[in-house]
Amino acid sequence: MRLLWVIPLLVEAHNKSFLHHCATDCNCQEELRTANCSQAFLRLLPSQLPPYTEHLDLSQNQLTHIPRRAFQTTRRLKTLFLNDNNISSVADGAFSPLEGLLKLDLSRNRIAALGEGFTLGMGCLKELLLSENRLVSLDTHSFQHLDGLLRLNLSHNAIHLVQVRAFGCMGTLRRLYLDSNRIWSLDNGVFTTLKSLEVLHLQRNNISLIEIGALTPLTSLALLNLACNQLTSIHFKTFLSLHTYSTHILLENNPWHCDCDLQRVFRKLHSIRRLFLDDYHNLRCTEPPELQGYGLTEVDAELCIAEMVTVLIITVAVVITVVAALVMAQRRRRKKEKHWTDGASELSYD
Ligand SMILES: *[C@@H]1O[C@H](CO)[C@@H](O)[C@H](O)[C@H]1NC(C)=O
Ligand SMILES: *[C@@H]1O[C@H](CO)[C@@H](O)[C@H](O)[C@H]1NC(C)=O
């Protein structure tokens, strides 16, 4: 009887010492719930980490692959740093089941594609860092299951294609960094459901086309950075359709084609009180050749002059034609009248 009573205790003690073993390359602190394995020349994930670990730092190692359920013995993880490794493949379900994970840093690796199951089992994630990787496209499956995400950093990749609904379920996302990629167009539907998005960084891409409804879903947008792209002109309606409280828009370092249309678009944009064109005074013309290098504000008063002169000439021509026609008509009537009265007087003499 007595022995039976002791056995569970022994088993528990054994489990404890076994499970709380910290890999030799790491530094584990139970009271802080941390395991620090940074800069340990690791090529493989550490085989044993204490299950209490909530903050795991595996940054600056030489990891190349994250297998399926790689962290299933440390299910309480809240933050996981895998940045500055050499990771090129992440298996579907690699981070499952980390239902408490809040922050995942995969910056500065070699990830070229995100599998359909990449986000599996990370339902609570708030911040996902994927900057400085080799991603080329984002499709509808890239970010499934990330319903609570607040920040997504995808800057410095090679993304040229963002499919419609790529950010599918991210109704809570506040900040999206897509700067320094190769995006060339923003199509309608790309930002569908991003109704909480406040900051959108799109600077340093190749964007030359923004479809008229592309920005419409962004009803909370406070900052839109489109500097350093390939915009030559914009549609007034593209920005008019931003139904926000107040939005700051950055547009400098684009190859603007300075003509009367562009001048009109900006004049109308200035009249919308909720939109702030913060760097309007820095916009420079690339086309036409005679205006290259000039600031848009320096020439904007003249851009519509040629058009105004044409309008004036046409107006004057029309007025002259009308007046001439009237005069001619008057003359003809007078002639007729004269003819008639002459005839009448001739008649009366008979
Ligand atoms: C990273 O991995 C690639 C193969 O994927 C290899 O050629 C390269 O040498 C690795 N770099 C480092 C620093 O380990
Ligand atoms: C996003 O990633 C880039 C590149 O690594 C970095 O410079 C930037 O600070 C990051 N932004 C945020 C808000 O994390």
Side-chain angles (χ1 to χ4, degrees), residues 324-334:
L326 283 175
V327 169
M328 295 287 275
Q330 181 81 2
R331 270 208 200 144
R332 227 177 281 136
R333 214 180 59 213
R334 283 232 188 99

Side-chain angles (χ1 to χ4, degrees), residues 236-350:
F236 172 59
K237 281 189 187 157
T238 306
F239 294 111
L240 182 69
S241 69
L242 264 176
H243 295 291
T244 56
Y245 178 67
S246 112
T247 306
H248 292 259
I249 303 174
L250 299 173
L251 291 164
E252 67 182 311
N253 283 314
N254 277 280
W256 296 110
H257 189 139
C258 295
D259 57 12
C260 189
D261 284 340
L262 189 71
Q263 204 268 327
R264 283 213 186 110
V265 169
F266 277 114
R267 200 175 51 209
K268 285 194 272 183
L269 286 178
H270 278 303
S271 70
I272 303 179
R273 283 172 172 238
R274 63 177 187 276
L275 300 182
F276 300 91
L277 305 176
D278 290 355
D279 59 2
Y280 177 70
H281 290 273
N282 300 337
L283 304 192
R284 305 214 152 262
C285 308
T286 297
E287 291 274 332
E290 61 271 23
L291 294 182
Q292 193 177 358
Y294 280 91
L296 183 59
T297 45
E298 293 171 69
V299 297
D300 66 354
E302 296 152 36
L303 289 177
C304 290
I305 283 184
E307 216 161 275
M308 261 164 56
V309 169
T310 315
V311 170
L312 212 68
I313 290 171
I314 293 171
T315 315
V316 169
V318 169
V319 168
I320 289 174
T321 316
V322 170
V323 169
L326 283 175
V327 169
M328 295 287 275
Q330 181 81 2
R331 270 208 200 144
R332 227 177 281 136
R333 214 180 59 213
R334 283 232 188 99
K335 241 188 207 165
K336 250 192 200 157
E337 272 175 15
K338 193 154 172 264
H339 194 75
W340 189 79
T341 42
D342 285 358
S345 51
E346 262 168 42
L347 269 182
S348 60
Y349 281 115
D350 277 349

Side-chain angles (χ1 to χ4, degrees), residues 107-108 127 129 131-132 151 153-156 177 179:
S107 312
R108 290 176 293 282
E127 184 169 9
L129 306 173
S131 57
E132 297 180 65
R151 273 183 302 278
N153 194 341
L154 292 163
S155 75
H156 290 87
Y177 302 90
D179 49 293

Side-chain angles (χ1 to χ4, degrees), residues 180-227:
S180 300
N181 276 287
R182 297 180 192 160
I183 301 167
W184 53 275
S185 84
L186 298 178
D187 301 339
N188 288 341
V190 165
F191 300 124
T192 309
T193 71
L194 297 185
K195 58 184 186 328
S196 305
L197 197 70
E198 291 165 6
V199 173
L200 177 54
H201 280 195
L202 284 164
Q203 66 272 30
R204 291 188 290 278
N205 275 281
N206 295 329
I207 300 168
S208 60
L209 177 74
I210 306 177
E211 286 193 350
I212 284 175
L215 306 174
T216 313
L218 306 174
T219 49
S220 304
L221 201 64
L223 175 65
L224 172 61
N225 193 340
L226 282 164

Side-chain angles (χ1 to χ4, degrees), residues 105-119:
D105 193 344
L106 283 163
S107 312
R108 290 176 293 282
N109 277 290
R110 295 165 155 251
I111 303 168
L114 301 173
E116 224 171 279
F118 163 67
T119 56

Side-chain angles (χ1 to χ4, degrees), residues 110-143:
R110 295 165 155 251
I111 303 168
L114 301 173
E116 224 171 279
F118 163 67
T119 56
L120 221 63
M122 294 194 285
C124 280
L125 203 65
K126 301 278 178 252
E127 184 169 9
L128 175 58
L129 306 173
L130 277 162
S131 57
E132 297 180 65
N133 274 281
R134 299 181 176 190
L135 296 170
V136 290
S137 70
L138 304 177
D139 63 36
T140 41
H141 307 299
S142 305
F143 302 113

Side-chain angles (χ1 to χ4, degrees), residues 15-252:
N15 272 350
K16 237 181 179 171
S17 65
F18 174 75
L19 288 172
H20 284 198
H21 187 72
C22 183
T24 45
D25 299 308
C26 307
N27 177 6
C28 305
Q29 297 207 4
E30 178 156 14
E31 60 286 12
L32 296 175
R33 307 259 181 272
T34 58
N36 186 352
C37 320
S38 183
Q39 298 184 44
F41 304 100
L42 296 175
R43 289 177 176 275
L44 294 170
L45 289 167
S47 53
Q48 277 185 18
L49 287 171
Y52 61 72
T53 309
E54 290 179 2
H55 309 283
L56 173 56
D57 189 349
L58 285 161
S59 64
Q60 303 184 58
N61 282 294
Q62 290 158 14
L63 304 171
T64 54
H65 172 65
I66 308 294
R68 210 173 84 85
R69 296 174 83 85
F71 303 94
Q72 65 172 335
T73 59
T74 47
R75 296 183 181 209
R76 297 195 199 156
L77 285 184
K78 288 185 178 159
T79 58
L80 175 55
F81 292 96
L82 286 163
N83 51 293
D84 300 277
N85 274 279
N86 200 8
I87 301 166
S88 57
S89 78
V90 178
D92 280 352
F95 305 103
S96 176
L98 298 180
E99 291 296 345
L101 194 67
L102 300 175
K103 176 173 178 170
L104 173 60
D105 193 344
L106 283 163
S107 312
R108 290 176 293 282
N109 277 290
R110 295 165 155 251
I111 303 168
L114 301 173
E116 224 171 279
F118 163 67
T119 56
L120 221 63
M122 294 194 285
C124 280
L125 203 65
K126 301 278 178 252
E127 184 169 9
L128 175 58
L129 306 173
L130 277 162
S131 57
E132 297 180 65
N133 274 281
R134 299 181 176 190
L135 296 170
V136 290
S137 70
L138 304 177
D139 63 36
T140 41
H141 307 299
S142 305
F143 302 113
Q144 285 173 317
H145 321 291
L146 295 183
D147 305 4
L149 204 69
L150 299 178
R151 273 183 302 278
L152 176 57
N153 194 341
L154 292 163
S155 75
H156 290 87
N157 275 277
I159 301 166
H160 59 89
L161 186 69
V162 183
Q163 277 188 6
V164 166
R165 299 191 144 269
F167 306 103
C169 52
M170 298 187 182
T172 54
L173 194 70
R174 300 234 181 98
R175 290 165 178 264
L176 175 56
Y177 302 90
L178 276 166
D179 49 293
S180 300
N181 276 287
R182 297 180 192 160
I183 301 167
W184 53 275
S185 84
L186 298 178
D187 301 339
N188 288 341
V190 165
F191 300 124
T192 309
T193 71
L194 297 185
K195 58 184 186 328
S196 305
L197 197 70
E198 291 165 6
V199 173
L200 177 54
H201 280 195
L202 284 164
Q203 66 272 30
R204 291 188 290 278
N205 275 281
N206 295 329
I207 300 168
S208 60
L209 177 74
I210 306 177
E211 286 193 350
I212 284 175
L215 306 174
T216 313
L218 306 174
T219 49
S220 304
L221 201 64
L223 175 65
L224 172 61
N225 193 340
L226 282 164
C228 305
N229 273 287
Q230 292 299 326
L231 294 167
T232 57
S233 64
I234 42 171
H235 291 290
F236 172 59
K237 281 189 187 157
T238 306
F239 294 111
L240 182 69
S241 69
L242 264 176
H243 295 291
T244 56
Y245 178 67
S246 112
T247 306
H248 292 259
I249 303 174
L250 299 173
L251 291 164
E252 67 182 311

